[in-house]
């Protein structure tokens, strides 16, 4: 019987530890449409932080960007404050690392 | 020993000279050698000036590339007009009516953002060489834009648009853009072709901005970490003619792989799979080559379209357009991912990703319902275009297509599709006033077509061949996707597909033989057991 209980406790401990590990690993891609409120380019120009106002919730969301294509659009004002953006970002660690950042505009 | 010290001394002197050169800046400005071109256009004096319009840039281009505009003038990209040799129909954007934004005529100021010319209008001069837009296909900065509303012209000075709206379109400096020109990149083609139908991925389903930088899973040919094809690797131009238009689709290419310089290959469509892969593309599983006389490569190798996380429109209902929100502005409704499912100016939409295609016999002949063709609501849905094909014409293969459905305005009295004036700041544009009567009357007047004054809506279908987003071979369709009774090719007629097809008579006969064999064996066995007991 004690053997049975020790096995049960071990299984429970393993399950809890697996779930604990799984929480940060389950950080997923988040898709969002929002309007650019602020763009802050890093001094070295190799990254930027933008604040988008989520059109669904109205909340501001800060997104970290380091891809050259989007940075170039910030630098020559092809994307600016007021533009509506469709973005996909990885929210792992709360960094909101952008994977896609494009204007929604069409005709 | 003396020789070694001499070499060392010479090395030190060279290193010192190099240091001096770098230190004084003598070689500090040396740009890396460009290996993909023999001309650095930023060094050309003709391009080192301030340009006030796109046409001024073109004039500078033509001072060296003397024949370029004349070549462009012969192309579908320029003319937006082509006669289908099989049907005699006048096609191209100047002639067809589709079930997306319906028609380019009467909307040129907006639609001409995707014309390779400057100043497109109903009275556009198609013979003017300076009207050709070289930059849209050749600039490499990504900064060149032709905003809607400017008839295909770039905006060079900050401009309030629409007038009195308070919205400013930033002007662009054309000089560095002109100096950047080079061979066409996929982004140049994508500027228009990824955004057909009014937005990213809207129209084609197999063309969207995910092809800007695809991985191998999305497209084995264009993957940056793979073959890294540009569009023109397959759509290889000759005299600016781009092969591979859907207006003259190659349904079946039964030639061997193209060979450069071979006289018989002159004029062939270079954009077919066979132009590179030939007729026996499967080397390891040769049995698969038995399919190539009936099945297009795309059928197995493009299992779904819109796979790049960009949805494509599958349905558009114009009949519900016109609703406004509580502020009197056209209503906007979005789905969970922010895609518009209803717009007051456009109606209802359905979007989908990872779409399984429909399959048809396709021989390349693309028959359209044009503005003067009679249509009847009792026969809806009406095919905006329909590919012809049959299992017996010797010219057809089984192709994957996107089937796009819609509901759009038509003239119930004259029984024709209508040209709608959608875009513009004037009072008749639908996107300004949400008034169908005015919009259709203005559109038909501009197009010079009769209009009864009555409007109804009719269900329509358009067909789009699927040919991009080729998946890796291990992601191609498995056999049972088609070789089963309810498989993907369940509706395809005229071909025997093992696993799908069955003949009732043969099946009954076969099962009958099996039954009698079993019954005979059983009877025989029983009789032996019975007779043994007796003796």
């Amino acid at each position: 019987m004690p053997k049975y209980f020790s096995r049960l406790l071990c299984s429970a401990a393993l399950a809890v530890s697996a779930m604990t590990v799984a929480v940060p690993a389950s950080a997923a891609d988040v898709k969002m449409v929002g309007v650019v409120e602020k763009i802050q380019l890093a001094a070295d120009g190799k990254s930027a932080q933008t604040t988008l106002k989520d059109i669904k919730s109205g909340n501001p969301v800060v997104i970290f960007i380091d891809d050259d294509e989007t940075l170039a659009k910030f630098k020559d004002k092809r994307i600016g404050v007021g533009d509506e953006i469709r973005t996909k970002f990885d929210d792992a660690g709360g960094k909101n690392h952008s994977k896609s950042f494009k204007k929604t505009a069409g005709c | 020993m003396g020789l070694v010290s001499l070499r060392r001394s010479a090395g030190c002197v060279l290193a010192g000279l190099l240091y001096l050169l770098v230190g004084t800046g003598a070689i500090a400005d040396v740009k890396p050698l460009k290996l993909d071109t023999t001309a650095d256009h930023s060094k050309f004096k003709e391009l080192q000036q301030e340009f006030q319009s796109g046409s001024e840039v073109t004039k500078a281009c033509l001072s060296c590339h003397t024949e370029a505009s004349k070549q462009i003038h012969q192309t579908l990209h320029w003319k937006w007009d082509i006669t289908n040799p099989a049907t005699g129909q006048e096609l191209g954007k100047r002639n067809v009516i589709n079930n997306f934004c319906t028609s380019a005529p009467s909307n040129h100021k907006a639609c001409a953002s995707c014309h390779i010319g400057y100043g497109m209008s109903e009275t556009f001069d198609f013979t003017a060489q300076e009207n050709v837009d070289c930059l849209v296909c050749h600039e490499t900065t990504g900064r060149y834009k032709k905003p809607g509303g400017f008839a295909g012209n770039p905006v060079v000075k900050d401009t309030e648009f629409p007038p009195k709206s308070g919205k400013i379109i930033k002007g662009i400096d054309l000089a560095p853009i002109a100096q950047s020109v080079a061979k066409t990149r996929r982004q140049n083609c994508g500027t228009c072709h990824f955004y057909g139908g009014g937005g990213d991925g809207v129209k084609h389903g197999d063309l969207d901005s995910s092809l800007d930088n695809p991985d191998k899973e999305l497209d084995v040919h264009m993957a940056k970490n793979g073959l890294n094809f540009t569009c023109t690797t397959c759509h290889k131009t000759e005299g600016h003619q781009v092969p591979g238009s859907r207006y003259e689709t190659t349904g079946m290419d039964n030639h061997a792989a193209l060979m450069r310089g071979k006289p018989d290959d002159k004029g062939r469509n270079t954009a077919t799979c066979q132009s590179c892969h030939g007729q026996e593309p499967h080397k390891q599983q040769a049995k698969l080559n038995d399919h190539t006389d009936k099945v297009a490569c795309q059928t197995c190798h493009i299992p779904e379209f819109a796979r790049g996380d960009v949805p494509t429109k599958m349905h558009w209902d114009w009949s519900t357009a016109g609703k406004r929100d509580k502020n009197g502005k056209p209503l906007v409704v979005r789905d969970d991912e922010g895609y518009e499912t209803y717009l007051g100016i456009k109606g209802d939409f359905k979007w989908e990703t990872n779409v399984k295609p429909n399959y048809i016999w396709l021989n390349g002949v693309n028959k359209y319902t044009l503005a003067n063709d009679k249509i009847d609501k009792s026969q809806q849905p009406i095919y905006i275009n329909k590919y012809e094909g049959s299992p017996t014409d010797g010219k057809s293969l089984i192709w994957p297509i996107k089937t796009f459905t819609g509901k759009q305005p038509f003239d119930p009295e004259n029984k024709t599709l209508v040209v709608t004036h959608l875009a513009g700041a004037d009072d008749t544009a639908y996107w300004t006033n949400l008034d169908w009567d005015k919009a259709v009357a203005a559109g038909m007047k501009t197009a010079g077509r009769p209009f009864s004054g009555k409007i109804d809506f009719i269900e329509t279908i358009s067909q789009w061949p699927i040919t991009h987003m080729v998946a890796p071979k291990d992601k191609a369709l498995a056999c049972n996707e088609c070789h089963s009774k309810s498989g993907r090719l369940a509706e395809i007629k005229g071909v025997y597909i093992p696993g799908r097809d069955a003949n009732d008579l043969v099946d009954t006969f076969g099962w009958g033989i099996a039954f009698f064999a079993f019954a005979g064996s059983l009877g025989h066995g029983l009789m032996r057991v019975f007779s043994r007991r007796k003796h």
Side-chain angles (χ1 to χ4, degrees), chain B residues 329-380:
Chain B
K329 289 186 174 173
L331 182 64
V332 178
V333 180
R334 296 177 193 257
D335 63 16
D336 288 343
E337 294 190 2
Y339 285 94
E340 292 131 353
T341 54
Y342 178 82
L343 283 177
I345 62 168
K346 291 183 176 179
D348 280 293
F349 310 124
K350 282 183 188 156
W351 299 86
E352 286 183 37
T353 50
N354 301 312
V355 189
K356 276 187 189 177
N358 296 121
Y359 299 91
I360 58 167
W361 285 104
L362 185 151
N363 64 15
V365 178
N366 192 1
K367 186 91 187 293
Y368 273 76
T369 300
L370 296 172
N372 49 4
D373 289 328
K374 295 293 177 193
I375 56 174
D376 196 316
K377 196 167 180 177
S378 66
Q379 291 168 353
Q380 67 179 0

Side-chain angles (χ1 to χ4, degrees), chain B residues 96-322:
Chain B
V96 302
I97 292 178
N98 66 31
N99 50 356
F100 291 87
C101 283
T102 66
S103 58
S106 186
N107 298 297
H108 280 136
K109 276 195 170 175
C111 298
S113 295
C114 278
H115 182 246
I116 56 166
Y118 297 124
M120 184 73 160
S121 69
E122 310 301 331
T123 55
F124 183 65
D125 183 359
F126 283 94
T127 63
Q129 293 192 48
E130 67 273 18
N131 279 355
V132 170
D133 180 354
C134 308
L135 296 177
V136 72
C137 298
H138 291 288
E139 74 90 20
T140 60
T141 65
R143 294 200 297 271
Y144 186 65
K145 291 279 175 278
K146 307 210 301 177
F150 291 85
N153 289 300
V155 176
V156 294
K157 289 177 185 161
D158 289 3
T159 305
E160 187 182 26
F161 189 85
K164 298 177 185 171
S165 65
K167 293 178 185 168
I168 302 295
I169 294 182
K170 300 285 282 182
I172 52 174
D173 183 359
L174 291 176
I177 292 169
Q179 290 165 20
S180 78
V181 294
K183 283 181 183 170
T184 299
R185 306 161 309 141
R186 65 178 71 154
Q187 287 84 357
N188 294 100
C189 308
T191 299
C192 288
H193 292 282
F194 294 166
Y195 295 86
D200 196 0
V202 166
K203 189 189 278 180
H204 295 278
D206 61 345
L207 288 173
D208 60 49
S209 66
S210 65
L211 292 174
D212 269 346
N213 190 12
D215 57 18
K216 278 186 186 170
E217 296 287 302
L218 180 58
D219 194 302
V220 284
H221 298 111
M222 297 178 78
K224 282 257 172 132
N225 58 348
L227 296 167
N228 200 19
F229 280 14
T230 64
C231 306
T232 51
T233 309
C234 297
H235 296 271
K236 190 168 173 51
T237 59
E238 195 171 329
H240 282 103
Q241 292 283 358
V242 184
S245 164
R246 74 174 180 285
Y247 290 122
E248 41 184 6
T249 310
T250 304
M252 176 191 278
D253 181 354
N254 49 17
H255 299 85
L258 267 167
M259 189 176 286
R260 198 191 305 178
K262 191 179 168 191
D264 292 348
D265 286 343
K266 184 89 180 151
R268 271 183 66 189
N269 180 2
T270 62
T272 66
C273 305
Q274 291 81 359
S275 71
C276 284
H277 294 285
Q279 299 298 319
E280 295 183 343
H282 307 99
K283 305 300 175 203
Q284 289 171 346
Q285 292 173 289
K287 179 66 187 164
L288 294 174
N289 292 329
D290 292 346
H291 293 72
T292 59
D293 62 336
K294 292 280 186 289
V295 182
C297 307
Q298 292 88 335
T299 293
C300 298
H301 290 275
I302 310 177
E304 283 103 26
F305 55 88
R307 297 201 314 275
D309 208 19
V310 176
T312 186
K313 268 185 195 168
M314 297 300 293
H315 180 76
W316 186 330
D317 184 353
W318 281 98
S319 72
T320 59

Side-chain angles (χ1 to χ4, degrees), chain B residues 60-108:
Chain B
C61 300
L62 292 173
S63 65
C64 293
H65 300 276
T66 56
E67 307 307 301
S69 279
K70 289 178 227 165
Q71 291 177 1
I72 289 287
H73 284 177
Q74 305 305 313
T75 66
L76 176 59
H77 268 137
W78 173 257
K79 295 193 283 188
W80 277 8
D81 180 83
I82 184 172
T83 304
N84 184 325
T87 63
Q89 286 188 310
E90 287 284 310
L91 305 177
K93 290 193 193 306
R94 283 160 73 190
N95 303 300
V96 302
I97 292 178
N98 66 31
N99 50 356
F100 291 87
C101 283
T102 66
S103 58
S106 186
N107 298 297
H108 280 136

Side-chain angles (χ1 to χ4, degrees), chain A residues 31 76 78 88 102 107, chain B residues 142-143 209 309 334 346:
Chain A
K31 292 177 183 176
D76 56 34
R78 275 178 284 157
K88 186 167 80 173
K102 291 174 181 171
C107 61
Chain B
R143 294 200 297 271
S209 66
D309 208 19
R334 296 177 193 257
K346 291 183 176 179

